[in-house]
Amino acid sequence: MGLMSKIEATLSGVMEGAFGWLFRTRLEPVELSRKLERAMSANTSVGVGADRRLAPNVYDVYLSPRDFARFEPHVRTLTDRLTDRLIGSAKESGITMTTRPLVRLHEASDIVTGQARISCQLLDPQTIAAESATNGMGALDSTRTISPDETAELNDQLRARDEASSVPPAWLTLLRPTRGQPMRLERQTVRLGRNLSNEIVVNDPKVSRFHAQIRYENGQFVVYDVSSTNGVRINGVRAQRPVPLRPNDTLGVGSHEFIFQRR
């Protein structure tokens, strides 16, 4: 379960960062992912020639009112993550998916907080679209058949998440000119600069469009000055070469200063 375990860790980290679910009495996204995986495995059907196991492509998830209320504002992000997790799990288990799976969340008053009931079935795309229209639920793009190109793209996405999950928890927090929120360093390379394509955008005329990079390499987060005009400061001293960051080091670019922290 190497790849999928890492994807699971990514799912956990992303969703915990978004929602701050800290109490075991609440349903965790990773727990929901495991329940969906078990439901998929337990409800496969036999394909043509009895040489294929076909996965369900519709998963109706019934949640307690409390869990549903917490998930609902972020339902698209969550269901996208859960869908990708199902696709990766099916691939590793040798289960065939005829279409991209559709995960739908429902509120159910008879479900206890922290629990979930899952109903799954294998339907043709037209039936799914008709049901969704009747129930007022968009079928989205989840019901269309996966093409070879899309399969390759999904695999690329899974590999990218696998790479991201290898980065240990670390954050930059803006200290000056105002106190900011911690920003998770989730990629192997995080770019800082004035350009909007950077992962961390610093709106400061003294900061170059592409000013610096923080790279995770050999177990360390290392700061690189990418030929900026005004340089990079570590603990107030201008860096002349790449500098490994230590917990509570300060990183200065222009008139902005951040503090680095990691686990």
Side-chain angles (χ1 to χ4, degrees):
M1 291 289 287
L3 173 62
M4 297 316 300
S5 294
K6 291 180 179 179
I7 295 174
E8 184 176 281
T10 301
L11 175 64
S12 178
V14 168
M15 303 311 285
E16 285 180 29
F19 307 118
W21 295 327
L22 302 176
F23 303 100
R24 297 183 62 84
T25 55
R26 296 178 178 181
L27 183 64
E28 298 285 351
V30 167
E31 293 172 341
L32 181 53
S33 178
R34 291 171 182 158
K35 291 176 184 293
L36 282 165
E37 184 180 353
R38 288 194 293 269
M40 176 183 68
S41 182
N43 289 277
T44 57
S45 56
V46 179
V48 177
D51 58 350
R52 293 191 303 166
R53 295 168 61 203
L54 303 182
N57 58 358
V58 178
Y59 298 79
D60 288 298
V61 181
Y62 298 89
L63 304 170
S64 72
R66 183 180 179 188
D67 286 325
F68 181 81
R70 220 171 57 252
F71 289 154
E72 187 178 23
H74 313 278
V75 65
R76 186 59 184 263
T77 299
L78 176 59
T79 54
D80 282 349
R81 298 294 189 275
L82 295 171
T83 296
D84 289 345
R85 179 69 174 85
L86 280 170
I87 292 170
S89 179
K91 181 184 176 185
E92 284 210 343
S93 302
I95 299 173
T96 299
M97 284 195 163
T98 56
T99 68
R100 183 175 174 83
L102 175 62
V103 178
R104 303 184 293 203
L105 304 186
H106 309 270
E107 181 179 358
S109 59
D110 62 323
I111 303 295
V112 177
T113 299
Q115 301 297 317
R117 183 174 69 248
I118 299 174
S119 173
C120 51
Q121 53 190 324
L122 177 59
L123 300 176
D124 63 82
Q126 291 76 19
T127 301
I128 299 172
E131 282 192 3
S132 297
T134 300
N135 296 329
M137 302 174 62
L140 309 177
D141 292 329
S142 301
T143 58
R144 54 186 172 78
T145 301
I146 303 176
S147 69
D149 287 343
E150 288 175 308
T151 300
E153 182 180 351
L154 285 169
N155 288 336
D156 288 342
Q157 292 173 357
L158 292 175
R159 281 193 292 272
R161 286 178 186 158
D162 176 45
E163 177 181 319
S165 68
S166 67
V167 178
W171 301 265
L172 279 186
T173 303
L174 181 64
L175 294 178
R176 300 180 182 84
T178 58
R179 184 81 181 191
Q181 296 295 320
M183 295 173 286
R184 177 77 181 267
L185 305 178
E186 295 183 316
R187 301 188 178 186
Q188 296 279 357
T189 299
V190 174
R191 302 167 300 167
L192 293 84
R194 208 172 64 249
N195 190 279
L196 296 178
S197 65
N198 290 289
E199 283 73 34
I200 298 178
V201 178
V202 184
N203 186 16
D204 184 338
K206 296 180 182 179
V207 173
S208 299
R209 293 174 65 250
F210 299 97
H211 196 104
Q213 293 181 353
I214 300 176
R215 304 177 192 170
Y216 182 68
E217 51 191 26
N218 300 319
Q220 294 182 304
F221 290 88
V222 183
V223 176
Y224 287 80
D225 183 344
V226 289
S227 303
S228 66
T229 300
N230 295 310
V232 174
R233 303 180 307 279
I234 304 299
N235 297 323
V237 179
R238 182 160 179 168
Q240 302 299 323
R241 60 181 62 86
V243 179
L245 288 171
R246 297 169 298 180
N248 299 318
D249 276 350
T250 59
L251 166 64
V253 291
S255 60
H256 287 63
E257 188 172 88
F258 302 83
I259 186 169
F260 170 77
Q261 294 168 314
R262 65 168 294 183
R263 289 181 187 166

